[in-house]
Amino acid sequence: MSDSTPSTPALPEKPKRSRTGWFVGIGIVVVAVIVAVVLVVVNVTGTGSGAASAKTVTVKIGTTEASSPYWAVLKKEAAKEGIDIQTVNFRDYTQANPALADGQLDLNLFQHLQFLANYDVQAKQNLVPIGATLVVPLPLYSTKYTKIGDIPQGGKIAIPNDPTNQARALLVLQKAGLLKLKNGGSTLATPADIDASASKVTVIPVDAAQTAPALSSADGAIVNNNYALTAGIDPKSALFQDDPKSQTAEPYINAFVARDKDKDNKTYLKVAELYHTKAVTAAVLAESKNTAVIVDRKASDLVGILDGLKKTIRAAQ
């Protein structure tokens, strides 16, 4: 037996801390924190990829002139505000209000206040104007004659057959000296109000979209501005038109129209406001060959005019 005792095993040497590893660890933590902060900022501010589309609000607007160049300008201005305007085109004036009332549209832009008043009363609806746009004159054109006085006795003039444009057309013809309305006429006048014995011409009521084509057969036609431009008619060739700047033109102020429950919708009000930006109004005036008159009236003013028109219509029923 040996008298020597076994020695205790030596513990392994404690490893030294790597300074390089320490910095790498801290770096990873810092990077992780930065990434987290960036993600939070992106989510809050909406500046990351895809955020713009998430914030974009779509607004469907019904019109009878979706191909008009000013729409492209208005859409561009709206896009800057995160608004995607989608136009829905209608063939004639009778479709866009029912579509709005039924919720198929958010707004429409095609009509003046007199037309809207007539629709609201007849359809028992409460569509409301939220922003004025313009007044355009209602002209008389002819491809056969160059002066009012040349139109012969018994001549035939095509006019729009929708109630409000029809009444306005009759007033235009009366002012031009081509016919006379009983009791001076009104914004509710119809062909039945014509005093035939005191009138030089007779009228042919047709769909508004057919007034321009009617020029080929009639002695003249009252053609709304948008249909005249679509047909390539030069506004300067008009034989006569009403005065869009006069007070009597108030019923014919065109406006953005919404459902009553949406009259305070900030996005819709913004769209109406953007119409009056310099770029849009310049495009509108250029398209109308400078015949349109831009109107910037408060929504409350427009509602007041509308209410007065509706009162007149109801009283006549």
Side-chain angles (χ1 to χ4, degrees):
M1 175 179 285
S2 168
D3 59 3
S4 64
T5 59
S7 62
T8 304
L11 295 173
E13 183 177 359
K14 187 174 183 180
K16 294 181 180 180
R17 185 180 297 273
S18 170
R19 300 180 71 86
T20 301
W22 183 82
F23 282 117
V24 170
I26 290 297
I28 291 173
V29 173
V30 171
V31 170
V33 170
I34 291 174
V35 170
V37 170
V38 169
L39 289 174
V40 170
V41 171
V42 167
N43 288 332
V44 171
T45 63
T47 56
S49 176
S53 60
K55 291 180 63 180
T56 298
V57 178
T58 298
V59 178
K60 282 188 177 181
I61 305 179
T63 181
T64 56
E65 49 185 14
S67 61
S68 295
Y70 81 85
W71 278 109
V73 183
L74 180 56
K75 289 178 180 181
K76 184 177 179 181
E77 293 298 312
K80 296 176 185 177
E81 303 293 332
I83 302 171
D84 174 27
I85 291 179
Q86 294 183 2
T87 51
V88 180
N89 198 62
F90 293 91
R91 190 185 69 83
D92 61 54
Y93 293 131
T94 64
Q95 302 168 330
N97 277 331
L100 177 60
D102 291 344
Q104 299 173 44
L105 305 170
D106 300 309
L107 298 171
N108 67 38
L109 178 60
F110 76 98
Q111 65 191 319
H112 48 56
L113 298 179
Q114 181 70 46
F115 190 95
L116 175 59
N118 188 70
Y119 172 78
D120 271 356
V121 172
Q122 299 300 327
K124 295 180 172 54
Q125 291 289 343
N126 191 28
L127 301 182
V128 296
I130 64 167
T133 57
L134 50 73
V135 172
V136 290
L138 188 60
L140 168 65
Y141 296 101
S142 176
T143 56
K144 297 179 179 180
Y145 308 102
T146 57
K147 291 188 253 181
I148 287 285
D150 293 339
I151 296 176
Q153 184 72 33
K156 300 184 184 303
I157 308 295
I159 64 173
N161 65 2
D162 59 275
T164 53
N165 284 300
Q166 178 173 259
R168 187 183 181 189
L170 292 172
L171 291 171
V172 169
L173 293 175
Q174 177 172 254
K175 195 146 192 178
L178 292 174
L179 59 73
K180 186 172 182 179
L181 298 170
K182 299 168 185 175
N183 300 316
S186 71
T187 56
L188 301 178
T190 71
D193 295 312
I194 297 174
D195 182 345
S197 63
S199 299
K200 186 177 183 181
V201 301
T202 59
V203 297
I204 307 170
V206 298
D207 184 277
Q210 296 305 312
T211 51
L215 282 167
S216 62
S217 57
D219 295 294
I222 297 286
V223 186
N224 292 77
N225 197 52
N226 59 321
Y227 290 124
L229 293 173
T230 300
I233 299 172
D234 182 357
K236 293 180 181 178
S237 68
L239 274 61
F240 188 82
Q241 63 186 29
D242 53 4
D243 181 4
K245 295 182 180 180
S246 67
Q247 187 174 1
T248 56
E250 282 191 338
Y252 308 114
I253 295 173
N254 284 259
F256 282 97
V257 175
R259 290 179 292 277
D260 184 64
K261 68 176 184 177
D262 294 326
K263 63 186 176 184
D264 297 319
N265 183 294
K266 291 183 179 180
T267 300
Y268 301 166
L269 291 172
K270 187 65 179 178
V271 170
E273 178 186 330
L274 290 171
Y275 182 92
H276 291 276
T277 58
K278 186 175 180 179
V280 177
T281 56
V284 170
L285 292 174
E287 182 182 344
S288 74
K289 307 281 179 71
N290 290 313
T291 58
V293 175
I294 302 297
V295 178
D296 194 1
R297 296 280 293 270
K298 295 179 181 177
S300 57
D301 291 345
L302 303 179
V303 171
I305 296 170
L306 179 69
D307 288 345
L309 294 171
K310 289 197 283 191
K311 184 177 180 180
T312 300
I313 293 169
R314 292 189 180 105
Q317 290 180 333

